[in-house]
Amino acid sequence: TGGSVTLVGAGPGDPELLTLAAVRALRGADVVLYDDLVSPDVLAFARREARTMLVGKTGHRPSCRQEDINVLMIGLARQGKRVVRLKSGDPGVFGRGGEEIAAAHEAGIPVAIVPGVTAAQGAAARLGVSLTERGVARRVQYVTGHDRDGALPEDLNGAALADPGVTTAVYMPRRTVPALVARALAAGLPAATPAVAIVDATRPGERRVITTVGDLKDAIATLPAGPCLVLIGDVLRAARSGVRAPAAD
Amino acid sequence: TGGSVTLVGAGPGDPELLTLAAVRALRGADVVLYDDLVSPDVLAFARREARTMLVGKTGHRPSCRQEDINVLMIGLARQGKRVVRLKSGDPGVFGRGGEEIAAAHEAGIPVAIVPGVTAAQGAAARLGVSLTERGVARRVQYVTGHDRDGALPEDLNGAALADPGVTTAVYMPRRTVPALVARALAAGLPAATPAVAIVDATRPGERRVITTVGDLKDAIATLPAGPCLVLIGDVLRAARSGVRAPAAD
């Protein structure tokens, strides 16, 4: 039978936040190409006989170039393999999924996407907050902390960041948070706006600091290394530490 | 044992997009309070002996008032029941989760949240597009099509909508899409910007129309009744119809 490529969202970290479709795709895969942010507990859903290959790509560590990942993925699918490209969070939210989908289309390889819970939604759930709230936030936005060159995107919309009716999630902001905060404050966001920085959201080692936009730069520096997310907005006034789903038994 | 409340995201519709945690919570529930947009296939994960109660709340049909849902939910938990409040998509994205969390906290009832795949991410996956894309969209935003009074929120940020580097998902926009389009165009969004309107995203009856912002109002009128979502932005140039995950067998 013919090979295929399935982009699968691994969710924010906790393997319980995988979808049934993700588990099914992992169990059916001949090869799993995974990012360095994917939990080992998630990878454990693959069959023992499946090949699993770390291709990196997230974080700031040296990793395979995107073009090399595409060549590998397409080459394996052409050999008739069912290839799962496993990405942290949702493949459609800062996952560079579009480039891999385009490569598969160009090669005439069937491609499908299994969406996942993105880090912002996982982190909010653990904080016990809703990202939107009547009368508080009628818009939620996810922005990337860095552009192609690792800097804050030049044209990241300052007015969109400073809007009092928005909740903002900044993905992988460590290096660029000072620039982002400066831009938001210059555009009128009050320095007292609540903010939370989270490392390893939904994982056993999750660490967070509940702060304000004005103190965010110093607060984030107190967190250990690891995948980081920042949430900003008035909905975070209700943030509580360590809300976990009760065991169902 | 004591009662509890768990807000559970049912995902966008396809039961395969439930998380493992959601399935576990449903299987452990004594009572499931569900919205009218939740698929019967999702509800089927509850135990046979669990009570399931439609409390409405999404869409424009008459439904329980939020205060009545809170009273019911807290009352059942006080009787020692494990209550699952099952919401379409993610409880933290236009799900009014915050009000229910606050009610549980006030009553001293343990409350937890199981995040879910939201409609925008489910719809994008089925269209074969990524919501973000290097060099195209470095920001993605979800906005609500209606405020407390059913109208487009007065202060919905026009500049944030018109930004060429954003992908926008509008939740439940049928009544307000003309006003939203007018505001975005007035703020400078080109009328030729790609847009897709989707009804019943990820469900067997999914219907979509691939159009532009300028033609969105007419296009949306051609869709059947049902929960509707609009996606706007240049990433949608790559939209294809009916991309489905392959069976894993």
Side-chain angles (χ1 to χ4, degrees), chain B residues 95-191:
Chain B
R96 301 189 66 175
E99 296 165 58
E100 295 173 1
I101 297 162
H105 281 312
E106 271 165 42
I109 302 290
V111 60
I113 307 172
V114 176
V117 173
T118 188
Q121 288 161 233
R126 290 296 159 86
L127 288 164
V129 301
S130 180
L131 291 167
T132 65
E133 200 73 72
R134 288 204 170 190
V136 181
R138 76 201 63 73
R139 184 163 69 86
V140 56
Q141 61 187 353
Y142 305 155
V143 305
T144 175
H146 56 267
D147 211 349
R148 270 182 224 274
D149 56 359
L152 190 71
E154 271 296 323
D155 54 350
L156 188 65
N157 196 302
L161 293 175
D163 180 354
V166 74
T167 305
T168 300
V170 194
Y171 281 68
M172 306 295 283
R174 281 196 193 255
R175 288 203 264 178
T176 51
V177 79
L180 183 127
V181 164
R183 194 171 308 174
L185 294 177
L189 188 71

Side-chain angles (χ1 to χ4, degrees), chain A residues 16 18-21 24 82 90 92 94 105 112 116 121 130-132 138-142 153 155 240 246 248-249, chain B residues 16 18-21 24 82 90 92 94 105 112 116 121 130-132 138-142 153 155 240 246 248:
Chain A
E16 285 283 298
L18 274 177
T19 63
L20 300 178
R24 204 178 297 275
R82 287 168 299 182
D90 183 295
F94 306 122
H105 281 313
Q121 288 161 233
S130 181
L131 291 168
T132 65
R138 75 201 64 73
R139 184 164 68 86
V140 56
Q141 61 188 353
Y142 305 154
D155 54 349
R240 293 164 189 248
D249 54 41
Chain B
E16 284 283 299
L18 274 177
T19 63
L20 300 177
R24 205 178 297 275
R82 288 168 298 182
D90 183 293
F94 306 122
H105 281 312
Q121 288 161 233
S130 180
L131 291 167
T132 65
R138 76 201 63 73
R139 184 163 69 86
V140 56
Q141 61 187 353
Y142 305 155
D155 54 350
R240 293 164 189 248

Side-chain angles (χ1 to χ4, degrees), chain A residues 66-155:
Chain A
Q66 184 62 54
E67 305 84 78
D68 297 337
I69 296 174
N70 294 356
V71 166
L72 179 64
M73 191 177 76
I74 300 305
L76 289 163
R78 282 207 168 119
Q79 290 171 16
K81 307 285 191 218
R82 287 168 299 182
V83 180
V84 159
R85 178 72 180 95
L86 186 63
K87 289 161 175 287
S88 171
D90 183 295
V93 177
F94 306 122
R96 301 190 64 177
E99 297 166 57
E100 295 173 2
I101 297 162
H105 281 313
E106 272 166 41
I109 304 289
V111 59
I113 307 170
V114 176
V117 173
T118 189
Q121 288 161 233
R126 290 296 158 86
L127 288 163
V129 300
S130 181
L131 291 168
T132 65
E133 201 72 72
R134 288 203 170 190
V136 181
R138 75 201 64 73
R139 184 164 68 86
V140 56
Q141 61 188 353
Y142 305 154
V143 305
T144 174
H146 54 269
D147 211 347
R148 272 182 223 275
D149 58 358
L152 191 70
E154 271 294 324
D155 54 349

